[in-house]
Amino acid sequence: MSLPPDRLETRLPDAKPLYSDSQAAVEASRCLYCEDAPCIAACPTGIDVPTFIRKIGTGNIRGAARTILSANVLGYSCARVCPVEVLCAGACVYNAWDRDPPIAIGRLQRYATESMLGAGVAVELLSRAPANGKRVACVGAGPASLACASYLALEGFAVTVHEQRALAGGLNTSGVAPYKMPADDALDEVEFVRALGVEIRTGVEIAPGPTAEALLRDFDAVFLGAGLGADARLGIPGEDGAGVVGAVAWIERMKLGTEALRAEVRSAVVIGGGNTAIDAARELAGLGVPKVSMLYRRTTREMSGYAHELELARLAGVVLVERAVPERFVRDPDGALTAVELASGDLHRCELAVVAIGQAKLRALAECFPGVVLDDRGSLVADPRSGRTGHPRVFAGGDAVHGGELVVTAVQDGKRAARSICAALGIEIRPDSPMRAGHE
Ligand code: SF4
């Protein structure tokens, strides 16, 4: 599947454009190369931030990329999508002085990695062990699976990723706010993963029965990193029909196509208080919808969305309505959406309602493999340190285990599971393997 060049997301400008060489050099020169660098501890994958910044400062961009990609093989997309304000940059010592802003670690990381995604460069950057004769299947092609697959391929495994959808990359491709990273940039990273030796098959569904049994028969180990399912629904009257859509579905249509927004939409509501809700609201405002409101059932203090992201949405013109509990969608005699009625009796006029209250769990995954079970929230049960499930050859990580988490935590899950798979299959990890870099 190729992306249409005029898809809606291309109308939203890059919020943090790529640094020029001189901008990167100036920013790198501000880093103090702290000995006990808190930015390393704050990165879930443990990227050696001061080391890669020092390499940028000396013009060793390739070395900087190697430092980043060893600890976090998806360090490019993480540079684009990580909430650095609450991770590495949030921990930077500059914050304590309240004079200069913290080091723009995400932008420097993007600068170091963006030009390194080409196939030839990728292979040169990260050392690859000879084939070890073991085969691993990954289910899903989101960040957890792509990370697990990449590290294993570098260690000599033959890895095949099975993805149900037409495009690989998971939410990096279909769900990330365009002003952070458009879909074509996410697909560049997918090509980088292929260049590391990973086979990616799209349009392949793994379900209970023959397809799952074949994985256990044909592969030495299986990693489940399939993420989450369809948007959750409110279950209130009027929800079925035109004008009401789940947030993940709407964002995907906006990122990959041209038809997600009708020209006549003058007012839209987004229902929810998480980061996906904030993204959808900001995107609607950025695409020119004159009136965009977020309806949240509690107060700002209780929102799971980041405060800095909400502030940016407000600056884009989004209005937050607190303690707003939708009771029903109101439609005209022709069935067109006209409003959301709240429990308070208030009516919020809208032609489009985007429901962002979470995603369903892919419960059927647990039925694919004996010993793999769900917890009481419907997530796969896996040991957080190793990714081990109740089946000795099946491992899991990412959103399928944790619910909606960060890309960078999914990457760390994939790396940990790759280490566990090596141990389970008796493959010793090389002393200089990229898999050894970063946090345990
Ligand atoms: Fe550089 Fe800030 Fe990390 Fe210190 S905490 S090493 S100044 S990025």
Side-chain angles (χ1 to χ4, degrees):
M1 172 183 168
S2 58
L3 295 173
D6 56 345
R7 58 196 193 281
L8 276 182
E9 71 160 355
T10 60
R11 294 195 210 156
L12 297 166
D14 193 338
K16 295 178 181 173
L18 180 65
Y19 272 153
S20 66
D21 293 346
S22 55
Q23 285 174 318
V26 168
E27 186 63 12
S29 72
R30 295 176 57 231
C31 179
L32 304 172
Y33 312 122
C34 307
E35 195 173 320
D36 254 348
C39 48
I40 302 177
C43 172
T45 57
I47 292 174
D48 188 341
V49 174
T51 295
F52 95 70
I53 294 179
R54 188 188 290 271
K55 288 178 177 174
I56 291 175
T58 59
N60 180 7
I61 312 306
R62 204 173 259 245
R66 184 179 292 114
T67 299
I68 295 162
L69 297 171
S70 297
N72 180 341
V73 73
L74 301 190
Y76 173 64
S77 56
C78 287
R80 306 286 300 267
V81 310
C82 265
V84 292
E85 294 83 354
V86 296
L87 295 174
C88 53
C92 177
V93 294
Y94 272 86
N95 291 293
W97 301 321
D98 209 20
R99 214 185 57 190
D100 297 312
I103 304 296
I105 299 170
R107 295 188 75 176
L108 287 171
Q109 186 168 315
R110 175 180 176 183
Y111 171 79
T113 52
E114 185 153 309
S115 62
M116 299 293 159
L117 297 185
V121 184
V123 176
E124 285 170 23
L125 268 184
L126 300 171
S127 70
R128 190 168 177 200
N132 62 27
K134 303 290 186 189
R135 303 187 70 206
V136 175
C138 295
V139 179
S145 269
L146 292 182
C148 182
S150 298
Y151 283 112
L152 289 173
L154 289 169
E155 220 48 37
F157 290 78
V159 190
T160 306
V161 173
H162 302 77
E163 169 58 51
Q164 185 178 351
R165 306 157 79 91
L167 291 172
L171 288 176
N172 269 357
T173 300
S174 64
V176 165
Y179 37 83
K180 295 178 185 166
M181 182 170 67
D184 45 354
D185 287 359
L187 292 174
D188 286 346
E189 190 177 60
V190 171
E191 290 311 306
F192 165 74
V193 170
R194 281 190 214 271
L196 298 178
V198 175
E199 181 190 4
I200 301 174
R201 295 182 189 159
T202 54
V204 180
E205 185 178 0
I206 304 299
T211 53
E213 288 159 15
L215 291 192
L216 280 180
R217 187 185 63 233
D218 298 340
F219 294 87
D220 298 290
V222 176
F223 176 76
L224 303 176
L228 296 169
D231 287 288
R233 290 164 50 87
L234 286 161
I236 60 175
E239 193 166 5
D240 292 321
V244 181
V245 62
V248 171
W250 184 81
I251 291 171
E252 176 171 342
R253 276 162 46 198
M254 183 265 306
K255 282 182 66 68
L256 306 183
T258 58
E259 305 294 334
L261 190 61
R262 289 174 291 119
E264 63 269 26
V265 172
R266 308 298 297 162
S267 67
V269 299
V270 178
I271 298 164
N275 288 310
T276 303
I278 296 172
D279 278 350
R282 197 171 154 196
E283 286 152 9
L284 285 161
L287 289 171
V289 176
K291 189 167 171 241
V292 182
S293 304
M294 277 180 71
L295 307 181
Y296 179 51
R297 56 190 298 121
R298 298 194 182 92
T299 64
T300 311
R301 274 187 336 126
E302 295 155 289
M303 284 177 69
S304 59
Y306 294 121
H308 65 271
E309 299 278 4
L310 179 61
E311 189 52 32
L312 291 169
R314 280 181 158 139
L315 288 173
V318 173
V319 174
L320 175 69
V321 183
E322 297 175 310
R323 296 193 175 87
V325 181
E327 284 260 294
R328 71 181 180 106
F329 292 102
V330 182
R331 296 181 179 278
D332 70 13
D334 296 327
L337 182 70
T338 58
V340 180
E341 184 179 334
L342 304 182
S344 61
D346 289 350
L347 276 183
H348 270 270
R349 300 264 162 220
C350 59
E351 293 93 34
L352 175 67
V354 177
V355 180
I357 56 168
Q359 290 172 261
K361 306 286 170 51
L362 295 173
R363 292 168 183 269
L365 273 181
E367 296 162 30
C368 289
F369 306 100
V372 177
V373 295
L374 302 173
D375 65 16
D376 52 13
R377 296 168 304 143
S379 296
L380 293 175
V381 175
D383 178 76
R385 304 293 303 176
S386 65
R388 287 180 179 277
T389 69
H391 189 293
R393 291 198 290 126
V394 179
F395 300 76
D399 284 356
V401 173
H402 304 296
E405 267 288 351
L406 300 174
V407 171
V408 68
T409 50
V411 171
Q412 183 68 358
D413 272 7
K415 185 167 70 174
R416 283 182 174 144
R419 291 172 180 152
S420 301
I421 289 169
C422 289
L425 300 183
I427 300 296
E428 194 169 336
I429 301 172
R430 294 167 294 152
D432 62 343
S433 167
M435 216 188 291
R436 290 188 185 274
H439 290 324
E440 282 298 306

